[in-house]
Amino acid sequence: SHDIQQQLDELREQLAYHGYRYYVEDNPEIPDAEYDRMMQQLLAIEKANPELVTVDSPSQRVGGEPLDGFTQITHEIPMLSLDNAFNDDDLHAFEKRMLDRLLSESALTYCCEPKLDGLAVSLMYENGVLIQAATRGDGTTGENITENVRTIRSIPLKLTGEGWPARLEVRGEVFMPKKGFEALNEKAAKKGEKTFANPRNAAAGSLRQLDSKVTATRPLSFYAYSVGVVEGMELAGGQYDRLLQLKGWGLPMCPEIRQLSSMDDVIAYHQEIGEKREALPYEIDGVVIKTDDVAIQLRLGFVARAPRWAIAYKFPAQEEMTL
Ligand SMILES: Cc1c[n+]2nc(N)[nH]c2nc1OC(C)C
């Protein structure tokens, strides 16, 4: 029969593929019982051959020994938050501010996404393997929640497809779908346990577990929305096209994301998402509108919460920013 390593490779590939079909595409090809049988087979072979366990094996989703605490992670690129718009005029002012700064552009294309009401996380993939996950924290320093994130079935432990960068940091939202939230609270109420006030709190509480076996029982999901560190290749030049690249590598992308070519279309999109909000399977608290062109994003940069009365007069940068 196959030697052990070949059996493991085959099982791992099958489980990763069928896991993707079930958890990301919500369109399984095989019955759950067959998936469970393959997982039990994998766990048995790895138990008998512990030296053959790999960090990206589908068996690593069930959670290991509880941690004593979370270590701190410093983000190589800060994870910033967003300014808010409250009406259509704010959006036209947003566009005018950008065009005034850019001078050379007369129109902008936008990538528009529902703003999920979950937790922002950073996933670091090296050579296509998930090696670290962190919370946003204060934007500069977050908590290492790798073991808990491994249990989120829609997050690939290994990227699929080909042509991904040597180092790729994927940023996105971990959330709890409404149906999973209601089932979790119903079960907790029946057992007289604490219930969560809303899906965001439930997701936050699930990611803060020191015992990832508890996290593994929680119905968490994930949608990618941007990239941080990229090393080893250039990604597509637009936000929307980058998200399609991430999707092609096995990372989930929210199906409501649109590329739009005018602020009037953006306003119509905001209206449309507002109307379908109650029917969406997850909670959102708005939509996020981004200039699609990444080169323009870099030219526009960030308005940090900097004092208006102080300024730094910098010498020229000594090394190229790696973005
Ligand atoms: C903080 C944040 C949150 N969200 N949510 C989405 N959908 N996109 C998105 N982008 C963000 O920041 C980008 C500007 C990178």
Side-chain angles (χ1 to χ4, degrees):
S1 68
H2 284 330
D3 81 317
I4 299 283
Q5 187 56 54
Q6 259 181 317
Q7 254 187 304
L8 287 173
D9 294 347
E10 177 68 18
L11 275 170
R12 286 169 182 161
E13 191 181 334
Q14 284 293 310
L15 284 162
Y17 171 72
H18 289 298
Y20 179 83
R21 289 295 303 248
Y22 185 90
Y23 291 109
V24 178
E25 297 192 336
D26 195 16
N27 177 19
E29 253 177 48
I30 58 173
D32 298 2
E34 187 174 340
Y35 181 88
D36 293 345
R37 187 188 56 74
M38 282 199 281
M39 180 62 85
Q40 292 314 316
Q41 203 180 353
L42 174 65
L43 290 167
I45 298 174
E46 289 185 346
K47 192 168 165 60
N49 305 272
E51 74 287 357
L52 296 180
V53 176
T54 55
V55 74
D56 60 340
S57 171
S59 64
Q60 301 309 298
R61 287 199 184 280
V62 295
E65 292 313 305
L67 300 175
D68 298 328
F70 294 114
T71 56
Q72 297 291 302
I73 300 278
T74 299
H75 301 299
E76 294 172 40
I77 297 175
M79 289 181 75
L80 302 179
S81 51
L82 291 164
D83 239 355
N84 291 319
F86 296 99
N87 54 53
D88 296 352
D89 290 347
D90 288 351
L91 288 188
H92 287 301
F94 167 58
E95 178 169 67
K96 186 177 181 317
R97 278 199 305 278
M98 291 191 287
L99 288 172
D100 287 352
R101 275 189 90 84
L102 291 166
L103 298 176
S104 58
E105 319 297 318
S106 56
L108 293 167
T109 300
Y110 297 99
C111 178
C112 299
E113 315 159 14
K115 188 170 183 312
L116 274 89
D117 201 0
L119 265 84
V121 296
S122 158
L123 311 175
M124 187 65 81
Y125 288 87
E126 286 186 357
N127 300 315
V129 171
L130 177 65
I131 56 128
Q132 179 184 279
T135 62
R136 178 181 172 282
D138 62 7
T140 304
T141 308
E143 290 178 322
N144 184 334
I145 52 167
T146 309
E147 295 315 311
N148 288 343
V149 164
R150 263 189 218 295
T151 71
I152 302 174
R153 274 51 169 201
S154 55
I155 291 179
L157 298 178
K158 188 165 66 175
L159 298 180
T160 54
E162 76 263 327
W164 14 263
R167 284 187 86 220
L168 174 66
E169 181 194 3
V170 177
R171 295 173 170 188
E173 201 88 7
V174 169
F175 62 96
M176 190 177 289
K178 293 174 183 172
K179 285 214 178 339
F181 168 70
E182 282 144 23
L184 177 69
N185 264 0
E186 207 175 301
K187 208 163 51 177
K190 277 209 182 81
K191 289 195 283 187
E193 285 167 5
K194 175 173 78 78
T195 55
F196 291 100
N198 55 54
R200 194 212 159 281
N201 289 8
S206 302
L207 282 181
R208 256 203 303 273
Q209 290 292 330
L210 287 170
D211 180 357
S212 55
K213 283 190 171 51
V214 173
T215 312
T217 67
R218 301 286 174 81
L220 294 174
S221 195
F222 172 79
Y223 279 138
Y225 62 58
S226 95
V227 296
V229 171
V230 180
E231 285 173 15
M233 68 167 266
E234 287 290 308
L235 294 184
Q239 163 74 7
Y240 186 77
D241 290 345
R242 286 185 169 199
L243 292 178
L244 289 180
Q245 278 182 304
L246 296 184
K247 184 175 165 63
W249 293 330
L251 287 145
M253 170 183 163
C254 177
E256 302 297 338
I257 291 182
R258 298 283 180 280
Q259 190 175 39
L260 299 170
S261 55
S262 77
M263 199 43 96
D264 289 338
D265 289 351
V266 168
I267 289 168
Y269 171 83
H270 177 265
Q271 175 75 28
E272 176 203 326
I273 295 291
E275 282 158 9
K276 63 179 9 176
R277 180 180 186 187
E278 290 316 305
L280 290 175
Y282 38 78
E283 286 200 346
I284 63 172
D285 54 7
V287 299
V288 177
I289 300 136
K290 302 173 185 175
T291 296
D292 191 64
D293 185 316
V294 175
I296 291 181
Q297 289 180 10
L298 292 178
R299 283 165 60 193
L300 289 168
F302 298 89
V303 178
R305 298 273 172 273
R308 293 202 179 285
W309 43 266
I311 197 161
Y313 189 168
K314 298 292 209 49
F315 296 114
Q318 270 153 352
E319 83 267 349
E320 198 52 50
M321 272 276 282
T322 56
L323 251 184

